Amino acid sequence: MSIAFYIAVMAVTTYLIRMIPFTFFRKKIKSRFLRSFLHYIPYAVLSAMTFPAIFYSTDNGWTAAVGTAAALVLAYLGLPLIAVAGAASLGAFITWLIIK
Amino acid sequence: MSSKFFRGIAHGLPIGLGYLSVSFGFGVMAVRSGVSALFSVIISLTNLTSAGQAAGVDIIAAGGTILEMILVQLTINLRYSLMALSLSQKLDPKFTTGHRLLASYGITDEIFAVCSAQKELLTPAYMYGVIFISTLGWVGGTLLGATAGNIVPAGVSSALGILLYGMFIALIVPPAKKEKSILAVVIGAALLSLLFRYVLTAVSGGFSIIICAVTASALGALLFPVKDEEEQQ
């Protein structure tokens, strides 16, 4: 299958997810279960995507572990998105400098 | 070009800068997975989403099925439907159907956050400003990461591979700290994900994310249903 086809499917799916409710829906969702489910889904998705994949995201398990720890600490302290993401990379990079 | 457009650009500038560095990581990751620089940029331009693109590239690299791609994007990006729904409640009358069709392209976590923080009704010009600067950062960063990713030292490009995951942690941890129920769902999803990674290895990565997320969220919804917040409108 060509990469272009994958990308087209990906783009159209993502667009429709945003477009349909933004353009056509005007009323609020009534079902409490559905609202709760939709409330939790982003966090569950991000968590399942991050763990354990984050430990394989660099060339070395140690650099990934230090980067993960740095991100967790900074995120816990409530630092901005970019600071947390940057700390993960910086932590991994400094560890790479030490152990290479 | 109205002043509202430029106000949108000003408010979106931090997003654009943040995206620039995060999408650099995506560009590096995509090229490492065997996707060309051109296709990496096209993915960023047509999708404008971090987690969905990362999962999409994984599926492309693994030669997954189209059904898997659709279901993965649906699951990962379902949150945008909620955000779109929420934003649709506070749109200025200037938001005709045409504007809605166009602006819905740019509903991301951060753009949603900035737009919904606006006190007044949301105008198309303002939202286009926020989307424009954010997209510029996202696409520009992808291009830099996909092309210069080869030039930078191995340790640097390896370290940038973790950048997107760092951003995911930044999106997970503060709400999990605030709400115990979110923390429970996050831990549940992570444990299930470990199970699929090390035990139930026959299930592909994309589907395992769907199963983990849907199971953890459904359990969360049953055990900790959210409270009604209807009075706010």
Side-chain angles (χ1 to χ4, degrees), chain A residues 6 10 15 17-18 22 32 35-36 39-41 47-48 51 56-59 76 82 85 89 96, chain B residues 21 32 47-48 64 77 81 101 104-105 107 155 158-159 163 177 179 181 186 193 198 224 226 228:
Chain A
Y6 274 117
M10 201 171 146
Y15 175 69
I17 290 166
R18 290 163 163 156
F22 197 64
R32 197 178 180 196
R35 282 191 297 111
S36 305
H39 176 66
Y40 292 126
I41 201 99
S47 178
F51 302 103
Y56 301 94
S57 64
T58 65
D59 289 339
Y76 189 80
I82 185 59
S89 273
W96 176 78
Chain B
S21 36
R32 284 170 121 210
N47 284 270
L48 197 68
N77 294 331
S81 288
L101 288 172
S104 53
Y105 153 82
I107 298 168
S158 164
L163 198 67
K177 192 178 151 192
E179 283 183 47
S181 56
V186 162
S193 180
Y198 300 111
F224 323 105
V226 294
D228 286 311

mmCIF file of all heavy atoms in Angstrom, chain A residues 6 10 15 17-18 22 32 35-36 39-41 47-48 51 56-59 76 82 85 89 96, chain B residues 21 32 47-48 64 77 81 101 104-105 107 155 158-159 163 177 179 181 186 193 198 224 226 228:
data_model
loop_
_atom_site.group_PDB
_atom_site.id
_atom_site.type_symbol
_atom_site.label_atom_id
_atom_site.label_comp_id
_atom_site.label_asym_id
_atom_site.label_seq_id
_atom_site.Cartn_x
_atom_site.Cartn_y
_atom_site.Cartn_z
ATOM 1 N N TYR A 6 -2.135 5.854 2.835
ATOM 2 C CA TYR A 6 -2.190 5.859 4.307
ATOM 3 C C TYR A 6 -2.430 7.277 4.825
ATOM 4 O O TYR A 6 -3.260 7.512 5.695
ATOM 5 C CB TYR A 6 -0.852 5.386 4.892
ATOM 6 C CG TYR A 6 -0.685 3.894 5.051
ATOM 7 C CD1 TYR A 6 0.303 3.213 4.351
ATOM 8 C CD2 TYR A 6 -1.464 3.174 5.942
ATOM 9 C CE1 TYR A 6 0.513 1.859 4.519
ATOM 10 C CE2 TYR A 6 -1.271 1.819 6.127
ATOM 11 C CZ TYR A 6 -0.283 1.160 5.404
ATOM 12 O OH TYR A 6 -0.088 -0.184 5.588
ATOM 13 N N MET A 10 -5.570 8.815 6.915
ATOM 14 C CA MET A 10 -5.268 9.407 8.215
ATOM 15 C C MET A 10 -5.831 10.829 8.293
ATOM 16 O O MET A 10 -6.491 11.195 9.264
ATOM 17 C CB MET A 10 -3.735 9.453 8.292
ATOM 18 C CG MET A 10 -3.133 9.542 9.621
ATOM 19 S SD MET A 10 -1.345 9.292 9.309
ATOM 20 C CE MET A 10 -0.701 10.348 10.570
ATOM 21 N N TYR A 15 -9.794 14.753 10.079
ATOM 22 C CA TYR A 15 -10.599 15.940 9.752
ATOM 23 C C TYR A 15 -12.062 15.726 10.112
ATOM 24 O O TYR A 15 -12.696 16.587 10.723
ATOM 25 C CB TYR A 15 -10.447 16.295 8.274
ATOM 26 C CG TYR A 15 -11.345 17.439 7.850
ATOM 27 C CD1 TYR A 15 -11.105 18.736 8.315
ATOM 28 C CD2 TYR A 15 -12.440 17.232 7.023
ATOM 29 C CE1 TYR A 15 -11.926 19.790 7.958
ATOM 30 C CE2 TYR A 15 -13.266 18.278 6.654
ATOM 31 C CZ TYR A 15 -13.009 19.550 7.121
ATOM 32 O OH TYR A 15 -13.836 20.589 6.769
ATOM 33 N N ILE A 17 -13.380 13.776 12.296
ATOM 34 C CA ILE A 17 -13.558 13.748 13.751
ATOM 35 C C ILE A 17 -13.756 15.164 14.289
ATOM 36 O O ILE A 17 -14.559 15.408 15.187
ATOM 37 C CB ILE A 17 -12.320 13.097 14.419
ATOM 38 C CG1 ILE A 17 -12.283 11.602 14.115
ATOM 39 C CG2 ILE A 17 -12.320 13.340 15.919
ATOM 40 C CD1 ILE A 17 -10.948 10.962 14.438
ATOM 41 N N ARG A 18 -13.023 16.109 13.712
ATOM 42 C CA ARG A 18 -13.116 17.503 14.164
ATOM 43 C C ARG A 18 -14.302 18.209 13.520
ATOM 44 O O ARG A 18 -15.016 18.982 14.157
ATOM 45 C CB ARG A 18 -11.842 18.247 13.763
ATOM 46 C CG ARG A 18 -10.618 17.827 14.529
ATOM 47 C CD ARG A 18 -9.361 18.287 13.793
ATOM 48 N NE ARG A 18 -8.190 18.270 14.669
ATOM 49 C CZ ARG A 18 -6.954 18.174 14.209
ATOM 50 N NH1 ARG A 18 -6.728 18.082 12.922
ATOM 51 N NH2 ARG A 18 -5.933 18.179 15.054
ATOM 52 N N PHE A 22 -18.093 19.979 15.097
ATOM 53 C CA PHE A 22 -17.927 21.441 15.047
ATOM 54 C C PHE A 22 -18.961 22.064 14.121
ATOM 55 O O PHE A 22 -19.428 23.175 14.360
ATOM 56 C CB PHE A 22 -16.518 21.783 14.556
ATOM 57 C CG PHE A 22 -16.093 23.197 14.826
ATOM 58 C CD1 PHE A 22 -15.944 23.653 16.128
ATOM 59 C CD2 PHE A 22 -15.818 24.063 13.783
ATOM 60 C CE1 PHE A 22 -15.539 24.951 16.385
ATOM 61 C CE2 PHE A 22 -15.413 25.357 14.029
ATOM 62 C CZ PHE A 22 -15.270 25.806 15.327
ATOM 63 N N ARG A 32 -24.582 10.229 30.798
ATOM 64 C CA ARG A 32 -23.518 10.477 31.764
ATOM 65 C C ARG A 32 -22.344 9.540 31.525
ATOM 66 O O ARG A 32 -21.181 9.924 31.661
ATOM 67 C CB ARG A 32 -24.058 10.300 33.178
ATOM 68 C CG ARG A 32 -23.161 10.932 34.229
ATOM 69 C CD ARG A 32 -23.778 10.767 35.602
ATOM 70 N NE ARG A 32 -22.915 11.362 36.608
ATOM 71 C CZ ARG A 32 -23.041 11.103 37.900
ATOM 72 N NH1 ARG A 32 -23.966 10.268 38.328
ATOM 73 N NH2 ARG A 32 -22.229 11.672 38.762
ATOM 74 N N ARG A 35 -20.379 10.821 28.505
ATOM 75 C CA ARG A 35 -19.610 12.022 28.843
ATOM 76 C C ARG A 35 -18.398 11.651 29.702
ATOM 77 O O ARG A 35 -17.306 12.194 29.533
ATOM 78 C CB ARG A 35 -20.487 13.051 29.560
ATOM 79 C CG ARG A 35 -21.394 13.845 28.604
ATOM 80 C CD ARG A 35 -22.045 15.030 29.279
ATOM 81 N NE ARG A 35 -22.926 14.634 30.366
ATOM 82 C CZ ARG A 35 -22.674 14.875 31.638
ATOM 83 N NH1 ARG A 35 -21.587 15.542 31.991
ATOM 84 N NH2 ARG A 35 -23.505 14.459 32.558
ATOM 85 N N SER A 36 -18.589 10.708 30.633
ATOM 86 C CA SER A 36 -17.480 10.273 31.484
ATOM 87 C C SER A 36 -16.415 9.579 30.645
ATOM 88 O O SER A 36 -15.221 9.835 30.789
ATOM 89 C CB SER A 36 -17.985 9.315 32.562
ATOM 90 O OG SER A 36 -19.033 9.907 33.292
ATOM 91 N N HIS A 39 -14.510 11.981 28.740
ATOM 92 C CA HIS A 39 -13.659 12.749 29.647
ATOM 93 C C HIS A 39 -12.334 12.023 29.889
ATOM 94 O O HIS A 39 -11.278 12.643 29.965
ATOM 95 C CB HIS A 39 -14.413 12.954 30.967
ATOM 96 C CG HIS A 39 -13.619 13.654 32.032
ATOM 97 N ND1 HIS A 39 -13.220 14.967 31.923
ATOM 98 C CD2 HIS A 39 -13.134 13.208 33.215
ATOM 99 C CE1 HIS A 39 -12.528 15.308 33.007
ATOM 100 N NE2 HIS A 39 -12.456 14.257 33.803
ATOM 101 N N TYR A 40 -12.404 10.694 29.993
ATOM 102 C CA TYR A 40 -11.203 9.920 30.341
ATOM 103 C C TYR A 40 -10.376 9.501 29.130
ATOM 104 O O TYR A 40 -9.181 9.255 29.247
ATOM 105 C CB TYR A 40 -11.602 8.666 31.137
ATOM 106 C CG TYR A 40 -12.147 8.987 32.509
ATOM 107 C CD1 TYR A 40 -13.385 8.510 32.922
ATOM 108 C CD2 TYR A 40 -11.405 9.770 33.394
ATOM 109 C CE1 TYR A 40 -13.887 8.805 34.177
ATOM 110 C CE2 TYR A 40 -11.900 10.069 34.649
ATOM 111 C CZ TYR A 40 -13.142 9.584 35.034
ATOM 112 O OH TYR A 40 -13.629 9.881 36.267
ATOM 113 N N ILE A 41 -11.000 9.383 27.966
ATOM 114 C CA ILE A 41 -10.314 8.785 26.833
ATOM 115 C C ILE A 41 -8.988 9.461 26.439
ATOM 116 O O ILE A 41 -8.005 8.766 26.172
ATOM 117 C CB ILE A 41 -11.274 8.591 25.622
ATOM 118 C CG1 ILE A 41 -10.720 7.534 24.666
ATOM 119 C CG2 ILE A 41 -11.508 9.853 24.828
ATOM 120 C CD1 ILE A 41 -11.329 6.185 24.821
ATOM 121 N N SER A 47 -1.624 7.780 27.903
ATOM 122 C CA SER A 47 -0.913 6.888 28.817
ATOM 123 C C SER A 47 -0.519 5.588 28.125
ATOM 124 O O SER A 47 0.632 5.135 28.219
ATOM 125 C CB SER A 47 -1.789 6.595 30.036
ATOM 126 O OG SER A 47 -1.129 5.709 30.909
ATOM 127 N N ALA A 48 -1.464 4.990 27.396
ATOM 128 C CA ALA A 48 -1.173 3.732 26.695
ATOM 129 C C ALA A 48 -0.122 3.929 25.614
ATOM 130 O O ALA A 48 0.684 3.045 25.332
ATOM 131 C CB ALA A 48 -2.464 3.158 26.093
ATOM 132 N N PHE A 51 3.486 4.641 27.758
ATOM 133 C CA PHE A 51 4.086 3.536 28.518
ATOM 134 C C PHE A 51 3.769 2.198 27.876
ATOM 135 O O PHE A 51 2.606 1.917 27.622
ATOM 136 C CB PHE A 51 3.602 3.568 29.965
ATOM 137 C CG PHE A 51 3.923 4.865 30.641
ATOM 138 C CD1 PHE A 51 2.938 5.816 30.835
ATOM 139 C CD2 PHE A 51 5.226 5.157 31.041
ATOM 140 C CE1 PHE A 51 3.235 7.032 31.429
ATOM 141 C CE2 PHE A 51 5.527 6.371 31.645
ATOM 142 C CZ PHE A 51 4.527 7.303 31.840
ATOM 143 N N TYR A 56 11.629 3.076 24.918
ATOM 144 C CA TYR A 56 12.276 2.629 23.682
ATOM 145 C C TYR A 56 12.422 3.782 22.682
ATOM 146 O O TYR A 56 12.750 3.562 21.528
ATOM 147 C CB TYR A 56 11.465 1.499 23.043
ATOM 148 C CG TYR A 56 11.297 0.303 23.947
ATOM 149 C CD1 TYR A 56 10.174 0.165 24.756
ATOM 150 C CD2 TYR A 56 12.281 -0.674 24.015
ATOM 151 C CE1 TYR A 56 10.022 -0.915 25.605
ATOM 152 C CE2 TYR A 56 12.142 -1.764 24.855
ATOM 153 C CZ TYR A 56 11.010 -1.880 25.646
ATOM 154 O OH TYR A 56 10.873 -2.957 26.482
ATOM 155 N N SER A 57 12.147 5.010 23.137
ATOM 156 C CA SER A 57 12.100 6.136 22.204
ATOM 157 C C SER A 57 13.479 6.701 21.874
ATOM 158 O O SER A 57 13.616 7.498 20.960
ATOM 159 C CB SER A 57 11.211 7.246 22.769
ATOM 160 O OG SER A 57 11.767 7.758 23.962
ATOM 161 N N THR A 58 14.503 6.327 22.632
ATOM 162 C CA THR A 58 15.864 6.751 22.309
ATOM 163 C C THR A 58 16.686 5.500 21.994
ATOM 164 O O THR A 58 16.160 4.394 22.027
ATOM 165 C CB THR A 58 16.518 7.516 23.482
ATOM 166 O OG1 THR A 58 16.664 6.615 24.572
ATOM 167 C CG2 THR A 58 15.671 8.697 23.921
ATOM 168 N N ASP A 59 17.989 5.702 21.710
ATOM 169 C CA ASP A 59 18.818 4.553 21.333
ATOM 170 C C ASP A 59 19.223 3.699 22.528
ATOM 171 O O ASP A 59 19.804 2.636 22.372
ATOM 172 C CB ASP A 59 20.090 5.041 20.617
ATOM 173 C CG ASP A 59 19.750 5.576 19.235
ATOM 174 O OD1 ASP A 59 18.683 5.205 18.725
ATOM 175 O OD2 ASP A 59 20.540 6.357 18.688
ATOM 176 N N TYR A 76 4.946 17.306 37.046
ATOM 177 C CA TYR A 76 4.331 17.320 38.372
ATOM 178 C C TYR A 76 4.382 18.717 38.980
ATOM 179 O O TYR A 76 3.474 19.164 39.665
ATOM 180 C CB TYR A 76 5.025 16.316 39.295
ATOM 181 C CG TYR A 76 4.290 16.125 40.606
ATOM 182 C CD1 TYR A 76 3.168 15.304 40.681
ATOM 183 C CD2 TYR A 76 4.702 16.793 41.756
ATOM 184 C CE1 TYR A 76 2.481 15.149 41.860
ATOM 185 C CE2 TYR A 76 4.023 16.640 42.956
ATOM 186 C CZ TYR A 76 2.909 15.812 43.004
ATOM 187 O OH TYR A 76 2.214 15.669 44.172
ATOM 188 N N ILE A 82 6.222 22.890 26.781
ATOM 189 C CA ILE A 82 7.491 22.891 26.072
ATOM 190 C C ILE A 82 8.664 22.664 27.033
ATOM 191 O O ILE A 82 9.652 22.024 26.689
ATOM 192 C CB ILE A 82 7.655 24.196 25.251
ATOM 193 C CG1 ILE A 82 8.915 24.146 24.404
ATOM 194 C CG2 ILE A 82 7.628 25.433 26.113
ATOM 195 C CD1 ILE A 82 8.921 22.976 23.434
ATOM 196 N N ALA A 85 8.625 18.830 27.767
ATOM 197 C CA ALA A 85 9.109 18.083 26.605
ATOM 198 C C ALA A 85 10.611 18.298 26.428
ATOM 199 O O ALA A 85 11.369 17.356 26.175
ATOM 200 C CB ALA A 85 8.350 18.516 25.348
ATOM 201 N N SER A 89 14.092 15.571 26.607
ATOM 202 C CA SER A 89 15.176 15.464 25.630
ATOM 203 C C SER A 89 16.519 15.827 26.245
ATOM 204 O O SER A 89 17.525 15.153 26.008
ATOM 205 C CB SER A 89 14.902 16.384 24.441
ATOM 206 O OG SER A 89 14.118 15.713 23.495
ATOM 207 N N TRP A 96 23.319 10.715 27.641
ATOM 208 C CA TRP A 96 24.072 10.192 26.502
ATOM 209 C C TRP A 96 25.530 10.679 26.540
ATOM 210 O O TRP A 96 26.456 9.912 26.311
ATOM 211 C CB TRP A 96 23.409 10.618 25.191
ATOM 212 C CG TRP A 96 24.139 10.218 23.952
ATOM 213 C CD1 TRP A 96 24.158 8.990 23.369
ATOM 214 C CD2 TRP A 96 24.956 11.061 23.133
ATOM 215 N NE1 TRP A 96 24.945 9.013 22.237
ATOM 216 C CE2 TRP A 96 25.439 10.264 22.068
ATOM 217 C CE3 TRP A 96 25.323 12.417 23.191
ATOM 218 C CZ2 TRP A 96 26.270 10.777 21.066
ATOM 219 C CZ3 TRP A 96 26.143 12.923 22.186
ATOM 220 C CH2 TRP A 96 26.617 12.108 21.146
ATOM 221 N N SER B 21 9.353 22.995 18.221
ATOM 222 C CA SER B 21 10.333 22.070 18.789
ATOM 223 C C SER B 21 9.784 20.652 18.926
ATOM 224 O O SER B 21 10.505 19.675 18.713
ATOM 225 C CB SER B 21 10.838 22.587 20.140
ATOM 226 O OG SER B 21 9.806 23.213 20.830
ATOM 227 N N ARG B 32 13.214 8.377 10.846
ATOM 228 C CA ARG B 32 13.804 7.156 11.410
ATOM 229 C C ARG B 32 12.910 5.947 11.142
ATOM 230 O O ARG B 32 13.390 4.818 11.049
ATOM 231 C CB ARG B 32 13.989 7.293 12.928
ATOM 232 C CG ARG B 32 15.160 8.157 13.331
ATOM 233 C CD ARG B 32 15.089 8.405 14.821
ATOM 234 N NE ARG B 32 16.290 7.914 15.497
ATOM 235 C CZ ARG B 32 16.302 7.469 16.740
ATOM 236 N NH1 ARG B 32 15.193 7.401 17.439
ATOM 237 N NH2 ARG B 32 17.414 7.077 17.300
ATOM 238 N N ASN B 47 -2.652 16.719 9.046
ATOM 239 C CA ASN B 47 -3.212 16.132 10.263
ATOM 240 C C ASN B 47 -3.184 17.048 11.483
ATOM 241 O O ASN B 47 -4.106 17.050 12.280
ATOM 242 C CB ASN B 47 -2.501 14.831 10.602
ATOM 243 C CG ASN B 47 -2.933 13.696 9.708
ATOM 244 O OD1 ASN B 47 -3.863 12.985 9.995
ATOM 245 N ND2 ASN B 47 -2.272 13.557 8.566
ATOM 246 N N LEU B 48 -2.111 17.794 11.643
ATOM 247 C CA LEU B 48 -1.976 18.750 12.750
ATOM 248 C C LEU B 48 -2.363 18.134 14.096
ATOM 249 O O LEU B 48 -3.234 18.620 14.803
ATOM 250 C CB LEU B 48 -2.840 19.998 12.471
ATOM 251 C CG LEU B 48 -2.525 21.241 13.303
ATOM 252 C CD1 LEU B 48 -1.165 21.812 12.930
ATOM 253 C CD2 LEU B 48 -3.591 22.318 13.092
ATOM 254 N N GLY B 64 0.723 -1.704 8.595
ATOM 255 C CA GLY B 64 -0.578 -2.077 9.153
ATOM 256 C C GLY B 64 -1.704 -1.940 8.138
ATOM 257 O O GLY B 64 -1.493 -1.451 7.028
ATOM 258 N N ASN B 77 -7.872 10.429 18.381
ATOM 259 C CA ASN B 77 -8.316 11.805 18.143
ATOM 260 C C ASN B 77 -9.761 12.065 18.543
ATOM 261 O O ASN B 77 -10.282 13.145 18.294
ATOM 262 C CB ASN B 77 -8.092 12.166 16.674
ATOM 263 C CG ASN B 77 -6.623 12.209 16.325
ATOM 264 O OD1 ASN B 77 -5.792 12.505 17.186
ATOM 265 N ND2 ASN B 77 -6.282 11.906 15.091
ATOM 266 N N SER B 81 -13.365 15.598 19.035
ATOM 267 C CA SER B 81 -14.812 15.713 18.861
ATOM 268 C C SER B 81 -15.425 16.443 20.048
ATOM 269 O O SER B 81 -16.286 17.297 19.890
ATOM 270 C CB SER B 81 -15.446 14.322 18.740
ATOM 271 O OG SER B 81 -15.113 13.756 17.505
ATOM 272 N N LEU B 101 -16.449 24.619 8.532
ATOM 273 C CA LEU B 101 -15.784 23.549 7.775
ATOM 274 C C LEU B 101 -14.279 23.783 7.720
ATOM 275 O O LEU B 101 -13.487 22.851 7.797
ATOM 276 C CB LEU B 101 -16.356 23.479 6.354
ATOM 277 C CG LEU B 101 -17.763 22.921 6.212
ATOM 278 C CD1 LEU B 101 -18.274 23.087 4.791
ATOM 279 C CD2 LEU B 101 -17.800 21.446 6.609
ATOM 280 N N SER B 104 -12.486 23.914 11.577
ATOM 281 C CA SER B 104 -12.448 22.649 12.320
ATOM 282 C C SER B 104 -11.137 21.897 12.057
ATOM 283 O O SER B 104 -10.718 21.093 12.879
ATOM 284 C CB SER B 104 -13.655 21.775 11.967
ATOM 285 O OG SER B 104 -13.760 21.594 10.580
ATOM 286 N N TYR B 105 -10.485 22.220 10.937
ATOM 287 C CA TYR B 105 -9.183 21.637 10.621
ATOM 288 C C TYR B 105 -8.196 21.839 11.767
ATOM 289 O O TYR B 105 -7.361 20.973 12.044
ATOM 290 C CB TYR B 105 -8.639 22.281 9.332
ATOM 291 C CG TYR B 105 -7.143 22.295 9.193
ATOM 292 C CD1 TYR B 105 -6.455 21.161 8.732
ATOM 293 C CD2 TYR B 105 -6.392 23.424 9.529
ATOM 294 C CE1 TYR B 105 -5.076 21.171 8.604
ATOM 295 C CE2 TYR B 105 -5.014 23.441 9.410
ATOM 296 C CZ TYR B 105 -4.362 22.306 8.947
ATOM 297 O OH TYR B 105 -2.997 22.306 8.831
ATOM 298 N N ILE B 107 -8.516 22.241 15.160
ATOM 299 C CA ILE B 107 -8.835 22.002 16.577
ATOM 300 C C ILE B 107 -7.822 21.012 17.167
ATOM 301 O O ILE B 107 -7.863 19.819 16.888
ATOM 302 C CB ILE B 107 -10.278 21.478 16.733
ATOM 303 C CG1 ILE B 107 -11.273 22.522 16.210
ATOM 304 C CG2 ILE B 107 -10.571 21.146 18.197
ATOM 305 C CD1 ILE B 107 -12.687 21.997 16.059
ATOM 306 N N GLY B 155 23.472 11.413 19.293
ATOM 307 C CA GLY B 155 22.943 11.607 20.643
ATOM 308 C C GLY B 155 21.820 12.618 20.669
ATOM 309 O O GLY B 155 20.857 12.482 21.425
ATOM 310 N N SER B 158 18.703 11.087 18.826
ATOM 311 C CA SER B 158 18.160 10.069 19.716
ATOM 312 C C SER B 158 17.389 10.728 20.858
ATOM 313 O O SER B 158 16.284 10.311 21.198
ATOM 314 C CB SER B 158 19.292 9.205 20.268
ATOM 315 O OG SER B 158 18.859 8.467 21.378
ATOM 316 N N ALA B 159 17.980 11.796 21.420
ATOM 317 C CA ALA B 159 17.335 12.494 22.535
ATOM 318 C C ALA B 159 16.042 13.166 22.092
ATOM 319 O O ALA B 159 15.095 13.286 22.873
ATOM 320 C CB ALA B 159 18.292 13.520 23.139
ATOM 321 N N LEU B 163 11.070 13.557 22.741
ATOM 322 C CA LEU B 163 10.414 14.858 22.919
ATOM 323 C C LEU B 163 8.882 14.764 22.934
ATOM 324 O O LEU B 163 8.228 15.305 23.825
ATOM 325 C CB LEU B 163 10.876 15.814 21.810
ATOM 326 C CG LEU B 163 10.664 17.301 22.046
ATOM 327 C CD1 LEU B 163 11.536 17.817 23.172
ATOM 328 C CD2 LEU B 163 10.981 18.086 20.783
ATOM 329 N N LYS B 177 -2.852 14.718 38.576
ATOM 330 C CA LYS B 177 -2.538 15.218 39.916
ATOM 331 C C LYS B 177 -3.785 15.834 40.541
ATOM 332 O O LYS B 177 -4.033 15.691 41.738
ATOM 333 C CB LYS B 177 -1.440 16.279 39.761
ATOM 334 C CG LYS B 177 -0.761 16.727 41.027
ATOM 335 C CD LYS B 177 0.325 17.726 40.661
ATOM 336 C CE LYS B 177 0.566 18.718 41.771
ATOM 337 N NZ LYS B 177 1.405 19.836 41.300
ATOM 338 N N GLU B 179 -7.133 15.239 39.572
ATOM 339 C CA GLU B 179 -8.261 14.313 39.704
ATOM 340 C C GLU B 179 -7.767 12.885 39.905
ATOM 341 O O GLU B 179 -7.123 12.323 39.034
ATOM 342 C CB GLU B 179 -9.137 14.348 38.432
ATOM 343 C CG GLU B 179 -10.039 15.551 38.334
ATOM 344 C CD GLU B 179 -10.932 15.483 37.090
ATOM 345 O OE1 GLU B 179 -11.526 14.405 36.844
ATOM 346 O OE2 GLU B 179 -11.011 16.470 36.364
ATOM 347 N N SER B 181 -9.455 10.210 39.847
ATOM 348 C CA SER B 181 -10.067 9.290 38.876
ATOM 349 C C SER B 181 -9.242 9.249 37.590
ATOM 350 O O SER B 181 -9.066 8.186 36.991
ATOM 351 C CB SER B 181 -11.495 9.722 38.582
ATOM 352 O OG SER B 181 -11.523 11.066 38.141
ATOM 353 N N VAL B 186 -5.263 6.557 34.061
ATOM 354 C CA VAL B 186 -3.925 6.624 33.461
ATOM 355 C C VAL B 186 -3.095 5.398 33.862
ATOM 356 O O VAL B 186 -2.457 4.755 33.011
ATOM 357 C CB VAL B 186 -3.209 7.936 33.884
ATOM 358 C CG1 VAL B 186 -1.712 7.845 33.657
ATOM 359 C CG2 VAL B 186 -3.784 9.119 33.100
ATOM 360 N N SER B 193 -1.252 -1.566 28.851
ATOM 361 C CA SER B 193 -0.297 -1.399 27.756
ATOM 362 C C SER B 193 0.952 -2.256 27.982
ATOM 363 O O SER B 193 1.481 -2.858 27.042
ATOM 364 C CB SER B 193 0.079 0.086 27.653
ATOM 365 O OG SER B 193 0.982 0.292 26.611
ATOM 366 N N TYR B 198 4.388 -6.989 26.643
ATOM 367 C CA TYR B 198 5.266 -8.075 27.072
ATOM 368 C C TYR B 198 4.596 -9.449 27.109
ATOM 369 O O TYR B 198 5.276 -10.458 27.095
ATOM 370 C CB TYR B 198 5.871 -7.758 28.443
ATOM 371 C CG TYR B 198 6.685 -6.492 28.420
ATOM 372 C CD1 TYR B 198 6.263 -5.351 29.088
ATOM 373 C CD2 TYR B 198 7.878 -6.437 27.696
ATOM 374 C CE1 TYR B 198 7.003 -4.177 29.043
ATOM 375 C CE2 TYR B 198 8.623 -5.273 27.642
ATOM 376 C CZ TYR B 198 8.186 -4.157 28.314
ATOM 377 O OH TYR B 198 8.920 -3.008 28.246
ATOM 378 N N PHE B 224 -16.068 5.961 38.199
ATOM 379 C CA PHE B 224 -16.043 7.386 38.594
ATOM 380 C C PHE B 224 -16.757 8.244 37.544
ATOM 381 O O PHE B 224 -16.104 8.977 36.808
ATOM 382 C CB PHE B 224 -14.606 7.894 38.731
ATOM 383 C CG PHE B 224 -13.627 6.912 39.303
ATOM 384 C CD1 PHE B 224 -12.690 6.279 38.475
ATOM 385 C CD2 PHE B 224 -13.607 6.631 40.668
ATOM 386 C CE1 PHE B 224 -11.776 5.377 38.996
ATOM 387 C CE2 PHE B 224 -12.690 5.727 41.186
ATOM 388 C CZ PHE B 224 -11.773 5.099 40.359
ATOM 389 N N VAL B 226 -18.426 11.284 35.737
ATOM 390 C CA VAL B 226 -18.171 12.717 35.954
ATOM 391 C C VAL B 226 -19.449 13.395 36.437
ATOM 392 O O VAL B 226 -20.555 12.960 36.136
ATOM 393 C CB VAL B 226 -17.645 13.415 34.669
ATOM 394 C CG1 VAL B 226 -16.286 12.886 34.296
ATOM 395 C CG2 VAL B 226 -18.628 13.259 33.522
ATOM 396 N N ASP B 228 -22.256 16.458 36.809
ATOM 397 C CA ASP B 228 -22.921 17.347 35.852
ATOM 398 C C ASP B 228 -22.407 18.772 36.023
ATOM 399 O O ASP B 228 -22.273 19.261 37.132
ATOM 400 C CB ASP B 228 -24.437 17.319 36.073
ATOM 401 C CG ASP B 228 -25.038 16.021 35.560
ATOM 402 O OD1 ASP B 228 -24.713 15.660 34.418
ATOM 403 O OD2 ASP B 228 -25.794 15.379 36.309
#
